[in-house]
Amino acid sequence: MNIIVVGAGIAGLSTAWSLVKAGHGVTVLEQGKTIPNPLAASGDHHRIIRRAYRASTGYGALITEAYDAWAEMWKDLGANHLDPRGFMCVSREAGDEAEEYREGMEAGGWPIESLDPDAAVRRWPFLEAGTFRYAYFSADGGALHCRKIAVGLADWLRKNGANVYADSKVVDIDAETGRVELATGERLQADRVIVTAGAWVTKLFPELEGTLKAYRTALAYVEPPADLRSAWEAAPVILDVGGKTDGYMIPPSGGAGMKFGSGLHKVATSDADWNREPVEGEGEAIRNLFSPPIARIGEYRVTEVVTCAYIFTHDERFFAHEKGKVLVVSACSGHGYKFGAAVGRRAAAALDSGEVERLKRWLQAEVG
């Protein structure tokens, strides 16, 4: 088949990779001027991969398939873009998200190492004593280097016969005919169209606005105090700092700096292009959300603030929608990146087999 993929984030590039391997003719269209698009959810330096999920979600078990898909991709790219430094969580309140993740790990039978506060501070001296109940560590996680993955996939696709175009904004899709119209007025025709446009998908399919909601958020890159730099360089990814912060931290990895991000900072928007310039003091506001449990937070110098747009379902589960010749796939919220290679394989297989309903169930973590 002749297939057009709209959006060159991780889901789109991975789907194109799998489709090319299956023998299809593939064209990838990306609205950003570069691949990756730095304004998109997949366009930042790194994202977390981890086994920890609430026990009720089912996504923890799917990480096994995610690792398998990434391993297949590394083999094709000739490079491994996963830093397997593990992850840790800190619980500050009974029943907080960190504790829910621990319960999910235990329910799945995946090992963790629990540490009391004194032991945790000895191992990770950037933690503030007396501000948390316990910490735990798992080797089953780390950081994926997003920009390196995107560049590698785009290069692989071009070398293997796919057409990959940046600065090619899609403004309309005729789902019944498979016709795609670009902002330039050019029209392309395909047997099937797969849309992986992230936070911009509702601009192409406004009827999905009740199901998918876009948010603008920002991430702060920081320079830690000099005496803590070596501790951070050896630290695992911090998946959750407990309490109500909904915050994560990625240490320096893959040549990129250290990053702070929090779900408390996202703002709902009807336009994924809204307010994309950082606001004065925004980085410091994000940084300060992490005290406690991070000690000496004011000594962490903000070096860069990056904005991005995410798409969410109400329950943060992944989403697929079929309309005529179009398949819309959305790996909702920031946790979608870790499944990117597996989502691509599954989406490509669904186009081949016609089993879109099974794809939907897998995206909801209802089937293995």
Side-chain angles (χ1 to χ4, degrees):
M1 289 189 290
N2 172 31
I3 301 172
I4 292 176
V5 178
V6 179
I10 188 56
L13 290 170
S14 295
T15 301
W17 162 69
S18 294
L19 289 168
V20 167
K21 293 183 71 169
H24 298 291
V26 178
T27 296
V28 179
L29 303 173
E30 166 56 47
Q31 68 172 340
K33 295 187 181 300
T34 61
I35 297 174
N37 177 0
L39 296 180
S42 293
D44 199 18
H45 287 289
H46 35 37
R47 288 281 185 264
I48 295 173
I49 185 168
R50 37 85 174 190
R51 179 77 68 174
Y53 277 90
R54 294 179 182 90
S56 61
T57 67
Y59 283 112
L62 293 189
I63 289 294
T64 300
E65 182 173 340
Y67 279 131
D68 180 73
W70 288 119
E72 180 185 350
M73 185 178 290
W74 307 149
K75 184 177 180 180
D76 286 348
L77 297 185
N80 187 326
H81 299 305
L82 167 63
D83 175 3
R85 60 175 59 218
F87 73 89
M88 64 172 284
C89 290
V90 175
S91 177
R92 290 189 284 134
E93 299 174 5
D96 60 14
E97 191 169 56
E99 188 151 272
E100 291 180 328
Y101 289 157
R102 176 184 62 79
E103 292 168 351
M105 292 291 287
E106 291 172 346
W110 300 303
I112 60 172
E113 178 188 1
S114 294
L115 296 93
D116 64 35
D118 290 340
V121 172
R122 284 195 298 271
R123 183 181 297 189
W124 301 302
F126 45 78
L127 294 175
E128 184 176 3
T131 66
F132 60 97
R133 302 162 66 225
Y134 62 85
Y136 60 90
F137 168 77
S138 167
D140 200 353
L144 290 158
H145 300 148
C146 309
R147 294 186 182 177
K148 294 180 179 180
I149 293 169
V151 170
L153 278 173
D155 183 59
W156 184 94
L157 287 166
R158 292 185 178 107
K159 288 179 178 177
N160 286 273
N163 300 307
V164 182
Y165 301 114
D167 200 15
S168 299
K169 184 176 181 178
V170 174
V171 295
D172 187 63
I173 299 174
D174 187 324
E176 298 308 313
T177 64
R179 188 185 69 244
V180 174
E181 183 175 346
L182 304 182
T184 60
E186 183 181 0
R187 293 182 176 182
L188 304 176
Q189 189 71 41
D191 299 312
R192 295 297 302 267
V193 179
I194 185 161
V195 178
T196 58
W200 289 267
V201 71
T202 53
K203 290 190 174 186
L204 296 170
F205 295 94
E207 66 268 27
L208 298 180
E209 287 181 356
T211 302
L212 301 174
K213 182 66 177 176
Y215 288 81
R216 182 265 193 202
T217 192
L219 309 165
Y221 281 86
V222 304
E223 179 70 24
D227 62 309
L228 294 176
R229 188 172 296 128
S230 61
W232 275 113
E233 288 174 348
V237 167
I238 299 184
L239 174 60
D240 197 280
V241 294
K244 297 178 175 59
T245 302
D246 188 21
Y248 68 90
M249 310 168 75
I250 302 180
S253 178
M258 179 176 166
K259 181 169 72 177
F260 288 20
S262 171
L264 297 182
H265 198 73
K266 70 179 190 290
V267 179
T269 177
S270 59
D271 183 358
D273 294 309
W274 171 75
N275 197 19
R276 298 309 300 269
E277 290 297 319
V279 178
E280 184 177 356
E282 190 167 15
E284 287 74 15
I286 297 168
R287 177 200 65 189
N288 293 344
L289 291 171
F290 291 80
S291 177
I294 303 302
R296 301 161 54 190
I297 199 68
E299 298 179 43
Y300 287 73
R301 183 175 63 88
V302 175
T303 58
E304 184 182 12
V305 177
V306 176
T307 68
C308 62
Y310 287 98
I311 200 81
F312 282 77
T313 54
H314 75 279
D315 59 3
E316 298 189 18
R317 289 182 180 268
F318 305 161
F319 172 81
H321 171 71
E322 190 172 29
K323 180 179 181 181
K325 294 185 176 183
V326 173
L327 177 62
V328 179
V329 175
S330 182
C332 295
S333 91
H335 84 94
Y337 194 98
K338 67 184 65 62
F339 294 101
V343 167
R345 292 200 313 189
R346 288 277 183 163
L351 287 188
D352 259 340
S353 67
E355 294 185 6
V356 174
E357 288 305 314
R358 181 171 177 82
L359 169 66
K360 291 180 180 179
R361 293 196 302 274
W362 183 84
L363 290 169
Q364 292 282 315
E366 295 174 356
V367 297

